[in-house]
C-alpha cells in the first residue's frame, strides 16, 4: 500500500504543466481520493493547491493559447474540485464493492497499516539510477560495484549474528521470540518495528510472544525508553488481542 507522498508528488508534477491531459489526470485522481489524501497530509494538499495557482497565474500572463486553456470547461471543473476539497465541501468517494472486498482481504492479512514510505514519483520513473529499494534485489541497482554489495551483505550478516547472540543472552529461547526480539531491537523507529512484526509468520498463539518480548526489552533498559510503550500502544490499537495479552501477563507477573 502506498502513502499519500507518492500521489502528491505525482499531482505536483502534473500541476507544473497543466496541459489538457494533465488537468484530466488531476481530476481523475482528486475525484478518486482527493479527500482521503487531504486528511492524510493537509500541508501537502496546501502545497499542491499553491502549485496549481502559480501555474494558472503563469498561463494567464502567457500567450493566447495559455489563456484559452485556463478558460476551458475541464480546467474550470478542476479548479472547482480543488476549491471544494480545500474547503472540505467535497464528500469522500464511497468504496465500490471490489474495493471493499480488497480492503477486507488486506485486513485479514494484517497489512492495512503497512505503507511503502518514502516512495516518490521520480523513483518510479528512474528505477535504474535510484534503485527500487522496496523490491527484493533493489540494492544491487544502486551500485555497479560488486565488492561494495558483498561488503554490505557481510556487514548485515554480522549484525544479524550479533543480534541473535544478544537475543540468546536475554533468554529468548524460541525461534519466534528471537525473531521478535531482533525486529524490536533493530527497528529504525516504532513504525518500522510495527510493520515488520505484522509480517512475521507466527502460527497459533505465537503472536502472544510479541507483547511479552516488548515488556521484557523494556524492563532490561536502565533508563525508561518511551519507544517500547509507543510500540505497545500501536500494537494494542491494531489488535485488541495484544491488549488482552498485556493485561493477563501483567496480572500473572504481579
Amino acid at each position: 500500500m502506498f502513502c499519500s507522498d507518492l500521489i502528491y508528488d505525482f499531482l505536483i508534477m502534473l500541476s507544473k504543466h497543466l496541459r489538457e491531459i494533465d488537468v484530466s489526470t488531476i481530476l481523475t485522481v482528486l475525484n478518486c481520493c482527493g479527500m482521503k489524501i487531504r486528511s492524510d497530509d493537509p500541508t501537502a494538499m496546501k502545497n499542491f493547491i499553491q502549485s496549481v495557482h502559480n501555474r494558472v497565474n503563469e498561463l494567464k500572463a502567457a500567450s493566447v493559447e495559455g489563456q484559452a486553456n485556463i478558460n476551458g470547461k475541464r480546467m474550470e471543473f478542476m479548479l472547482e474540485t480543488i476549491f471544494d476539497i480545500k474547503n472540505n465541501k467535497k464528500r469522500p468517494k464511497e468504496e465500490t464493492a471490489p474495493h471493499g472486498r480488497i480492503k477486507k482481504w488486506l485486513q485479514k492479512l494484517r497489512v492495512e497499516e503497512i505503507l511503502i514510505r518514502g516512495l516518490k514519483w521520480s523513483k518510479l520513473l528512474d528505477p535504474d539510477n535510484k534503485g527500487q529499494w522496496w523490491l527484493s534485489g533493489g540494492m544491487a541497482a544502486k551500485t555497479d560495484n560488486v565488492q561494495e554489495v558483498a561488503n554490505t551483505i557481510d556487514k548485515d550478516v554480522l549484525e544479524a549474528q550479533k543480534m541473535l547472540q544478544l537475543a540468546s543472552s536475554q533468554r529468548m529461547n524460541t525461534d519466534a521470540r528471537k525473531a521478535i526480539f531482533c525486529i524490536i531491537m533493530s527497528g529504525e523507529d516504532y513504525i518500522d518495528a510495527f510493520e515488520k512484526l505484522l509480517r512475521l509468520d507466527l502460527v497459533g498463539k505465537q503472536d502472544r510472544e510479541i507483547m511479552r518480548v516488548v515488556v521484557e526489552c523494556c524492563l532490561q533498559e536502565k533508563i525508561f525508553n518511551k519507544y517500547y510503550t509507543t510500540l505497545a500502544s500501536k500494537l494494542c490499537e491494531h489488535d485488541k488481542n495484544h491488549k488482552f495479552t498485556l493485561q493477563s501477563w501483567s496480572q500473572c507477573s504481579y
Side-chain angles (χ1 to χ4, degrees), residues 208 211-212 241-250:
R208 296 181 180 179
M211 198 58 68
R212 292 171 181 170
N241 288 329
H242 291 304
K243 183 178 180 179
F244 295 146
T245 301
L246 182 60
Q247 290 175 339
S248 61
W249 190 85
S250 300

Side-chain angles (χ1 to χ4, degrees), residues 90-154:
K90 190 174 179 64
R91 291 184 178 181
K93 189 174 181 180
E94 295 183 359
E95 292 182 349
T96 60
H99 289 169
R101 288 195 295 269
I102 292 173
K103 185 176 181 180
K104 289 181 180 179
W105 176 68
L106 290 173
Q107 288 175 341
K108 288 181 180 179
L109 295 178
R110 295 183 177 182
V111 297
E112 69 270 17
E113 296 191 39
I114 295 179
L115 299 176
I116 297 181
R117 295 174 291 157
L119 179 58
K120 296 292 186 179
W121 185 249
S122 56
K123 288 186 178 181
L124 292 178
L125 294 180
D126 195 12
D128 293 333
N129 292 334
K130 301 296 182 182
Q132 295 182 348
W133 52 265
W134 60 93
L135 296 178
S136 176
M139 180 181 63
K142 295 181 181 179
T143 177
D144 295 328
N145 191 334
V146 177
Q147 185 62 42
E148 184 178 345
V149 174
N151 291 338
T152 302
I153 294 174
D154 290 340

Side-chain angles (χ1 to χ4, degrees), residues 10-251:
F10 178 57
L11 289 174
I12 289 177
M13 184 271 294
L14 294 174
S15 69
K16 294 185 182 301
H17 302 285
L18 286 188
R19 296 162 298 191
E20 184 175 356
I21 189 171
D22 300 322
V23 174
S24 298
T25 306
I26 290 174
L27 264 175
T28 301
V29 173
L30 293 180
N31 285 328
C32 180
C33 59
M35 291 301 295
K36 177 64 171 63
I37 61 175
R38 177 188 182 275
S39 63
D40 288 345
D41 193 343
T43 302
M45 176 60 73
K46 182 179 179 181
N47 294 336
F48 162 66
I49 294 173
Q50 186 62 48
S51 178
V52 171
H53 286 171
N54 291 341
R55 181 55 182 164
V56 169
N57 291 333
E58 290 176 2
L59 291 174
K60 286 181 179 179
S63 60
V64 177
E65 182 181 354
Q67 294 178 357
N69 290 336
I70 296 175
N71 296 326
K73 291 293 183 182
R74 197 174 296 273
M75 175 73 80
E76 182 181 349
F77 185 46
M78 182 199 71
L79 294 175
E80 289 177 357
T81 302
I82 291 175
F83 180 81
D84 289 342
I85 292 174
K86 176 185 177 182
N87 294 284
N88 203 24
K89 292 183 178 180
K90 190 174 179 64
R91 291 184 178 181
K93 189 174 181 180
E94 295 183 359
E95 292 182 349
T96 60
H99 289 169
R101 288 195 295 269
I102 292 173
K103 185 176 181 180
K104 289 181 180 179
W105 176 68
L106 290 173
Q107 288 175 341
K108 288 181 180 179
L109 295 178
R110 295 183 177 182
V111 297
E112 69 270 17
E113 296 191 39
I114 295 179
L115 299 176
I116 297 181
R117 295 174 291 157
L119 179 58
K120 296 292 186 179
W121 185 249
S122 56
K123 288 186 178 181
L124 292 178
L125 294 180
D126 195 12
D128 293 333
N129 292 334
K130 301 296 182 182
Q132 295 182 348
W133 52 265
W134 60 93
L135 296 178
S136 176
M139 180 181 63
K142 295 181 181 179
T143 177
D144 295 328
N145 191 334
V146 177
Q147 185 62 42
E148 184 178 345
V149 174
N151 291 338
T152 302
I153 294 174
D154 290 340
K155 182 180 179 181
D156 291 341
V157 171
L158 183 60
E159 290 179 355
Q161 290 175 345
K162 290 181 179 179
M163 191 63 67
L164 287 173
Q165 291 175 357
L166 181 60
S168 298
S169 67
Q170 297 296 325
R171 295 178 297 179
M172 303 296 162
N173 49 12
T174 65
D175 291 340
R177 298 195 77 183
K178 288 178 181 177
I180 295 167
F181 177 85
C182 291
I183 288 174
I184 293 173
M185 299 305 294
S186 63
E188 295 180 3
D189 52 32
Y190 81 96
I191 291 293
D192 180 59
F194 170 75
E195 292 177 354
K196 289 178 179 177
L197 287 172
L198 291 187
R199 290 197 291 268
L200 272 180
D201 187 19
L202 300 176
V203 296
K205 299 180 180 180
Q206 285 184 333
D207 59 337
R208 296 181 180 179
E209 298 290 350
I210 294 178
M211 198 58 68
R212 292 171 181 170
V213 174
V214 171
V215 175
E216 287 285 353
C217 292
C218 183
L219 293 175
Q220 293 298 323
E221 295 283 351
K222 295 181 180 180
I223 301 175
F224 174 72
N225 191 338
K226 193 177 179 180
Y227 165 74
Y228 301 106
T229 56
T230 307
L231 176 59
S233 298
K234 185 69 175 176
L235 288 165
C236 292
E237 178 185 342
H238 171 73
D239 190 343
K240 63 181 180 181
N241 288 329
H242 291 304
K243 183 178 180 179
F244 295 146
T245 301
L246 182 60
Q247 290 175 339
S248 61
W249 190 85
S250 300
Q251 291 171 358

